[in-house]
Every structure is written in structure tokens, then in C-alpha cells.
DNA sequence: GCCGTTTTCGGCCCGACTGTTTTCAGTCG
């Protein structure tokens, strides 16, 4: 049975081939279908079984048939026929930055070049000199792009928690350099997508040249790829591309909206604008020549008769229709997180580390923190916090903060509490070769959270179990938490999410903001999140304020 | 190939930047 990801890849390959063959609109149609399939929270086969493929945006009669053929036979005759029409290496040429379908097709038909290696060879032999449309600069551009594409990590999307500190440093660097009035991040970073292909930074400034100069000189910046009057594109030393744009304050909202995307969201907004006789672009919203809005995002949405849409859900999955009906149901926000049920201290934590964590919890106005005091680690070995730290957890009576003890158990039941320290509730984590949920529900009366359960695939097994066992699942970055798609599946099934606050971590750690972003991307409101509840409601009995 | 509170046909976001142009094509986001 093909996975959704494989089906999406198939349609992307079809789009690439159609591009090279010079088709005008089909490629985008197939890419749209691929994006839709990728964002499903259930298997394509399940949707097909219910006969609901056509309800997926971008899937019509023809693509529905192709999906059915692919699901039943594992092949697609149309794709196999297309494959024979272009050399396989041509599609690799499309991956080279600056090389598009038109150019790849010309290389193939005019020079007989069928792949990146052959193209590099042709350049080295001077076969491109004299070819119409390819001057020395263009040839050099392609040559260096080919060399860069052959290098490690080129063109890779970066996990957002990896990109997070990079983005923060760039913003801080630009602010420190001066000349910047307002600065915001846009793009898939702002939407908190799981991975980002580049970073988009928007600034207002009366001195664009000064800002571009400062940007070019930031220590993270490797190479300036292009620079015009309103935008500069650089590649960081570690390979990430960053676009910096200067926009005027009267258009900031329109630009922020435009460059935040997603593409599908923008296209949908524009079609609504067109229907109303309006035009939206990054400079504002216009009736004829007259700009009727653009200073804020709200202005642009309002001009289209829409409520403001939070960036995390701008994916054209129905949010625009909902915004047309009225204000959207609010997504969970950081101040609503009243506690954290899953805090880790270092295995050798001291009493002072405990105090530091509690101080951090107070500073963030958390009402309660549940600290893991021991259990089984990722390697399956048992561990316990040092006795000094345990004692401090019990003796700490910080006003306003309730401190609870959690233990981490293997989900397969291998680790019995036995010699584990006393705890108020437990957290399940998958260990070893069978990382799925337990076969039995947790003991009644004991509150349980499941964490470290893994991403999309694991979620398919954990979500039904968590629903029947009434166990919350943790969302957040990294391979061992639910991503936003898995979290959406959990939320739709009525499973509560736990959103870590990073209270035991460094101030600039990306865990908390990214986890919150994923929860919001999943569409979670405050009621969908376990740790927005008051302490007693979040965990049952453990977190009632202790009496001295 | 998809889609539809103007439509089942005729649209399909649109502007910046670059290199190669003597007015524009290709790529990108």
C-alpha cells in the first residue's frame, strides 16, 4: 500500500515531466494535488474507500482515477508513459537553482545534455559558448550552481527547530546594526511549518542601502546572491537561503501577508479579490489605482470580507471559507499554557537546578510544573534524579507554583515502578523494538501522559489508543513528538495535546515556540490542550496545592 | 487538470531580479 508521501512524490514527478514538456497549467494542478495529499491526516486509501477523493482540494476526475489506479495496482500507466518521453537526468537538472524547465529542455534538445554531470562536462568543454541566450555570466552562474548542487546538504529543507536560532540571530544582528524600524519574519517559518526551505525577513527602513550593507556583513552570511532596490538574497554559510525585503510602512501588512503565504492561501485570496473587482499584491489592496488598504494584514482581510487568519493555518484547507463566515475560533496562545507536565532536569541535577527551574516557571507565570523524577530513559536503562534534587522538589514551596513528580515508564510495560521514586503520575515513552502504545489501558485512577511517541507514522498507532485510554499526547519538534499533521489527527480524534513550555531549558531554546506553533498549526484551541487547564483538572489529584 | 454566489468554458497570482536583450524571457517566491 503506497503511503501518502509516495503518492505526493509521484504527482510531483509527473508535474516536473509535464513542465519539461512545456505544458502550461497541468504541472501546477498536479503539484496542488501533491500538496493536498501530503497534508491529509489519514491514509489516501481510507479516503478512497469512503469515495471522498474528490473532496480533497485540487483533486478532480482525472487525478482521482489516477489515485485509484495507483492504490490498487501500485503503478500508474500515465506516469510510466511520461517517463519515456524525457531522459531521467533532466529532472535532476530542474533541481539546480536558476535552472528551470525551459532551460533544461533546451540543453536536452539542442545540446543532447541529459543530466547535471553531462551539463558540467559540456560547460567545461566550452560547448555553451555561442549558444543564443547564454552569455558568460549565465554560464558561470550555471557552472557554480551545478558545483554547489553537487555539494552536501544543498537544496535541503531545514527542520524548523534548527532554523529557529539562526533566524533569531539574523533578526538580532539586523536590529543591532541600526537603520531598521520594523522587522518581522515571514514565509513558512512564520507559518511554523515543520521544515523551511529558506527564510524571509521583512523590514521597514528609510535607509535600505544601509540595511542591505549590514545584512551582507553579518557573520552568518556566506554569499550575496542578488541585490536590488527592494530585496537582497543571500546564502548563509551553513547553506540556508535568506531573502531580506524592504517595504514601506503603508504596505507592510500586505507584504507580510503576501510573503507569509502559503502560496495556495494567497492564490485563493487573489481570486476572491478578483471576484470583488479588487486586486491584492504585496503593495496593498487596490480598487483600480486606489489603494484601499495594506498597512496591516487585518485591513487586507477585511477588504475581502474576511476575518484575520492566524499564519499557522494559512494553507487553504478551508480556513478562508471559515474566515468569510466570521471570526475564526481562537488558537491556543502562550499565556494560556498554565503549566507543564513534562519537565526534564539533567540526570545529575542539583537542588539549585530545581530552584532555577521553579524560578523560571514563576517568571513565566506557570501555575504548576510536573518534573520527571526517574524511570526508563531512551536507552531503556533506569535512572533516578539525585536525592538532593528529589528532596528539594518536596521541600520547595514556591508561592503560586505547584510542583508534581512524574515518572517515565516504557510503554510496553517493561519497567515496573518497583524501585522508582515516588511519583504522582506517569508518562509513557516508547522503548526498544516495539514503540507502539501499550496493549492494555493505563490503570484507572492514574493520570497518564504519553510523550516521545514519534511523528506521523507512530501517531497513526498512538492516536486511537490515546483516545480510548484518555491519554494526552505531546506535540513539538523533533522525531519523537507529534508534528502538526499528527497533532491534527489527534485533535480531530478528540485526543488532548500536551504543549511543552521549555521551562527547564535555556531561554532561547526553540522547543516551546515551535511546539506551540505546531499545536496552532493543528488547529488546536485552548480546550484541546491539556496544560491550559488548572492544575487539579490537568492531572487529577496530584497537583492540588500541597498543605504545609 | 481543476474549478465555479458572474461560469460546465475559459480562466489559471503577479511582481522582482538577472542576463541578455534593443523590449524580453526565464526563474523564483
Amino acid at each position: 500500500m503506497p503511503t501518502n508521501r509516495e503518492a505526493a512524490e509521484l504527482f510531483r514527478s509527473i508535474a516536473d515531466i509535464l513542465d519539461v514538456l512545456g505544458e502550461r497549467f497541468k504541472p501546477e494542478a498536479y503539484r496542488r494535488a501533491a500538496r493536498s495529499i501530503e497534508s491529509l491526516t489519514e491514509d489516501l486509501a481510507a479516503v478512497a474507500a469512503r469515495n471522498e477523493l474528490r473532496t480533497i482540494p485540487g483533486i478532480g476526475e482525472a487525478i482521482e482515477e489516477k489515485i485509484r489506479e495507483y492504490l490498487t495496482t501500485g503503478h500508474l500507466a500515465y506516469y510510466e508513459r511520461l517517463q519515456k518521453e524525457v531522459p531521467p537526468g533532466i529532472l535532476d537538472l530542474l533541481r539546480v537553482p536558476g535552472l528551470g524547465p525551459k532551460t533544461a529542455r533546451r540543453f536536452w534538445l539542442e545540446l543532447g545534455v541529459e543530466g547535471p554531470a553531462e551539463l558540467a562536462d559540456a560547460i567545461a568543454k566550452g560547448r555553451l559558448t555561442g549558444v543564443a541566450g547564454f552569455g558568460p555570466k549565465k554560464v558561470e552562474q550555471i557552472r557554480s550552481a551545478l558545483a554547489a548542487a553537487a555539494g552536501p546538504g544543498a537544496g535541503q529543507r531545514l527542520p524548523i527547530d534548527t532554523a529557529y536560532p539562526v533566524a533569531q540571530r539574523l533578526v538580532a544582528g539586523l536590529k543591532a546594526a541600526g537603520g531598521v524600524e520594523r522587522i518581522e519574519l515571514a514565509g513558512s517559518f512564520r507559518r511554523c511549518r515543520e521544515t523551511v526551505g529558506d527564510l524571509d525577513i521583512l523590514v521597514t527602513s528609510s535607509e535600505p542601502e544601509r540595511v542591505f550593507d549590514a545584512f551582507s556583513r553579518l557573520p552568518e552570511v556566506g554569499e550575496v546572491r542578488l541585490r536590488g532596490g527592494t530585496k537582497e538574497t543571500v546564502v548563509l554559510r551553513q547553506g540556508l537561503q535568506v531573502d531580506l525585503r524592504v517595504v514601506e510602512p503603508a504596505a507592510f501588512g500586505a507584504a507580510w501577508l503576501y510573503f507569509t503565504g502559503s502560496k495556495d492561501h494567497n492564490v485563493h485570496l487573489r481570486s476572491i479579490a478578483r471576484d470583488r473587482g479588487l486586486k491584492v499584491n504585496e503593495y496593498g489592496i487596490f480598487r483600480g489605482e486606489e489603494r484601499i488598504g495594506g498597512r496591516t494584514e487585518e485591513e487586507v482581510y477585511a477588504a475581502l470580507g474576511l476575518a484575520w487568519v492566524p499564519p499557522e493555518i494559512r494553507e487553504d484547507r478551508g480556513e478562508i471559507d471559515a474566515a468569510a463566515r466570521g471570526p475564526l475560533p481562537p488558537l491556543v496562545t502562550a499565556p494560556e499554557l498554565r503549566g507543564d507536565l513534562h519537565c526534564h532536569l539533567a540526570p545529575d541535577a542539583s537542588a539549585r537546578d530545581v530552584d532555577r527551574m521553579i524560578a523560571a516557571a514563576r517568571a513565566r507565570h506557570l501555575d504548576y510544573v510536573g518534573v520527571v523524577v526517574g524511570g526508563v530513559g531512551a536507552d531503556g536503562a533506569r535512572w533516578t534524579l539525585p536525592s538532593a534534587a528529589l528532596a528539594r522538589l518536596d521541600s520547595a514551596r514556591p508561592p503560586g507554583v505547584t510542583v508534581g513528580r512524574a515518572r517515565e515508564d516504557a510503554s510496553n510495560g517493561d519497567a515496573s515502578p518497583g524501585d522508582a521514586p515516588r511519583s504522582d503520575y506517569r508518562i509513557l515513552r516508547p522503548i526498544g523494538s516495539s514503540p507502539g502504545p501499550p496493549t492494555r489501558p493505563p490503570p484507572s485512577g492514574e493520570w497518564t501522559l504519553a510523550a516521545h511517541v514519534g511523528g506521523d507514522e507512530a501517531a497513526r498507532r498512538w492516536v486511537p489508543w490515546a483516545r480510548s485510554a484518555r491519554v494526552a499526547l505531546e506535540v513539538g519538534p523533533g522525531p519523537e513528538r507529534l508534528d502538526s499533521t499528527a497533532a491534527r489527527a489527534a485533535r480531530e480524534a478528540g485526543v488532548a495535546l500536551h504543549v511543552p513550555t521549555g521551562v527547564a531549558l535555556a531561554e532561547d531554546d526553540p522547543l516551546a515556540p515551535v511546539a506551540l506553533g505546531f499545536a496552532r498549526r493543528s488547529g488546536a484551541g485552548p480546550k484541546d490542550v491539556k496544560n491550559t487547564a488548572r492544575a487539579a483538572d490537568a492531572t487529577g489529584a496530584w497537583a492540588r496545592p500541597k498543605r504545609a
Side-chain angles (χ1 to χ4, degrees):
Chain A
M1 180 67 69
T3 65
N4 291 0
R5 186 168 295 277
E6 285 164 347
E9 274 315 301
L10 175 72
F11 288 127
R12 282 213 176 83
S13 299
I14 290 175
D16 285 345
I17 297 175
L18 291 172
D19 247 341
V20 174
L21 292 176
E23 285 281 355
R24 291 272 276 131
F25 297 105
K26 288 185 189 182
E28 251 331 285
Y30 278 100
R31 289 198 182 95
R32 173 96 209 275
R35 286 194 295 272
S36 276
I37 290 168
E38 234 163 23
S39 70
L40 290 177
T41 56
E42 57 180 342
D43 287 329
L44 206 45
V47 187
R50 286 202 310 277
N51 217 9
E52 290 178 358
L53 286 173
R54 296 282 286 275
T55 66
I56 300 171
I59 293 182
E61 188 181 345
I63 294 187
E64 175 187 22
E65 266 183 42
K66 291 184 173 69
I67 292 173
R68 291 199 180 280
E69 179 189 342
Y70 184 52
L71 286 176
T72 44
T73 69
H75 305 95
L76 187 57
Y78 176 65
Y79 175 59
E80 283 157 18
R81 196 165 69 243
L82 281 179
Q83 274 186 313
K84 294 189 185 117
E85 304 212 11
V86 300
I90 292 286
L91 302 188
D92 298 326
L93 281 181
L94 298 179
R95 310 273 169 275
V96 179
L99 262 188
K102 297 277 166 44
T103 315
R105 182 180 166 83
R106 281 194 62 192
F107 285 154
W108 167 40
L109 294 179
E110 293 177 22
L111 297 173
V113 162
E114 301 192 345
E118 287 179 46
L119 179 56
D121 188 55
I123 292 174
K125 290 189 172 126
R127 291 180 55 210
L128 255 68
T129 41
V131 177
F134 292 94
K137 278 191 169 178
K138 190 82 196 167
V139 172
E140 172 52 26
Q141 200 183 68
I142 294 171
R143 197 200 57 76
S144 75
L146 274 170
Q156 292 287 316
R157 292 183 69 90
L158 216 56
I160 189 162
D161 49 313
T162 308
Y164 204 90
V166 178
Q168 301 304 324
R169 275 201 301 278
L170 292 177
V171 168
L174 279 169
K175 279 184 180 166
V180 171
E181 284 135 30
R182 181 173 181 191
I183 179 164
E184 300 284 358
L185 285 148
S188 48
F189 183 91
R190 183 175 176 225
R191 303 203 313 279
C192 210
R193 255 191 78 170
E194 275 70 13
T195 59
V196 298
D198 63 5
L199 290 174
D200 297 282
I201 304 175
L202 258 54
V203 302
T204 58
S205 172
S206 51
E207 309 168 87
E209 290 302 314
R210 181 178 167 197
V211 176
F212 288 153
D213 285 341
F215 189 49
S216 309
R217 281 197 296 265
L218 289 180
E220 289 83 3
V221 171
E223 159 205 2
V224 176
R225 192 160 275 177
L226 60 85
R227 178 167 168 174
T230 62
K231 100 172 228 193
E232 176 168 4
T233 297
V234 307
V235 179
L236 301 184
R237 291 183 199 286
Q238 47 86 281
L240 193 65
Q241 178 175 312
V242 186
D243 294 335
L244 175 67
R245 291 182 167 82
V246 176
V247 304
E248 54 166 330
F252 196 89
W256 205 16
L257 174 59
Y258 182 89
F259 290 112
T260 296
S262 66
K263 182 176 181 171
D264 290 334
H265 184 86
N266 285 353
V267 167
H268 197 154
L269 290 185
R270 277 153 196 268
S271 75
I272 291 177
R274 203 178 46 239
D275 294 346
R276 293 182 160 229
L278 303 172
K279 189 175 81 165
V280 182
N281 58 27
E282 62 263 53
Y283 302 108
I285 180 156
F286 298 86
R287 176 177 289 122
E289 296 290 298
E290 182 202 0
R291 174 155 67 191
I292 59 172
R295 188 167 290 272
T296 66
E297 290 188 329
E298 286 83 350
E299 271 182 14
V300 179
Y301 281 111
L304 298 174
L306 302 171
W308 180 80
V309 178
E312 293 91 342
I313 59 169
R314 294 180 191 169
E315 301 289 344
D316 197 24
R317 285 197 291 245
E319 75 280 2
I320 293 178
D321 289 342
R325 292 192 292 269
L328 298 166
L331 303 176
V332 60
T333 61
E336 289 170 320
L337 300 178
R338 298 176 72 162
D340 192 322
L341 299 164
H342 187 197
C343 295
H344 278 280
L345 290 165
D348 60 349
S350 65
R352 281 183 62 186
D353 293 327
V354 173
D355 289 338
R356 253 197 295 275
M357 189 202 66
I358 291 173
R362 293 190 65 185
R364 299 192 199 186
H365 305 290
L366 295 188
D367 296 340
Y368 53 95
V369 283
V371 182
V372 181
V373 294
V376 276
D379 54 2
R382 290 197 186 159
W383 64 279
T384 324
L385 279 183
S387 52
L390 288 174
R392 188 70 189 128
L393 280 176
D394 289 341
S395 65
R397 292 282 187 277
V401 183
T402 308
V403 182
R405 289 169 156 230
R407 74 172 188 280
E408 260 182 9
D409 287 355
S411 59
N412 58 15
D414 276 358
S416 59
D419 53 348
R422 178 183 62 74
S423 59
D424 302 305
Y425 65 105
R426 65 177 191 153
I427 296 172
L428 294 180
R429 71 176 299 162
I431 305 281
S433 56
S434 60
T439 49
R440 284 178 307 183
S444 63
E446 181 172 63
W447 195 82
T448 304
L449 166 75
H452 307 304
V453 302
D456 228 4
E457 291 302 311
R460 284 175 208 279
R461 285 171 300 185
W462 277 87
V463 165
W465 180 83
R467 173 175 44 198
S468 60
R470 302 168 64 82
V471 162
L473 295 174
E474 186 164 279
V475 61
E480 52 177 30
R481 296 188 182 84
L482 300 191
D483 64 16
S484 69
T485 307
R488 187 149 44 93
R491 190 183 59 71
E492 286 169 354
V495 173
L497 302 175
H498 180 258
V499 181
T501 67
V503 70
L505 304 173
E507 195 71 41
D508 58 351
D509 193 284
L511 173 65
V514 171
L516 182 71
F518 284 6
R520 289 168 60 86
R521 253 182 100 70
S522 81
K527 288 198 164 58
D528 298 313
V529 174
K530 199 72 189 174
N531 49 320
T532 58
R534 293 178 308 134
D537 296 335
T539 58
W542 75 269
R544 276 191 218 106
K546 289 180 179 124
R547 288 172 186 78

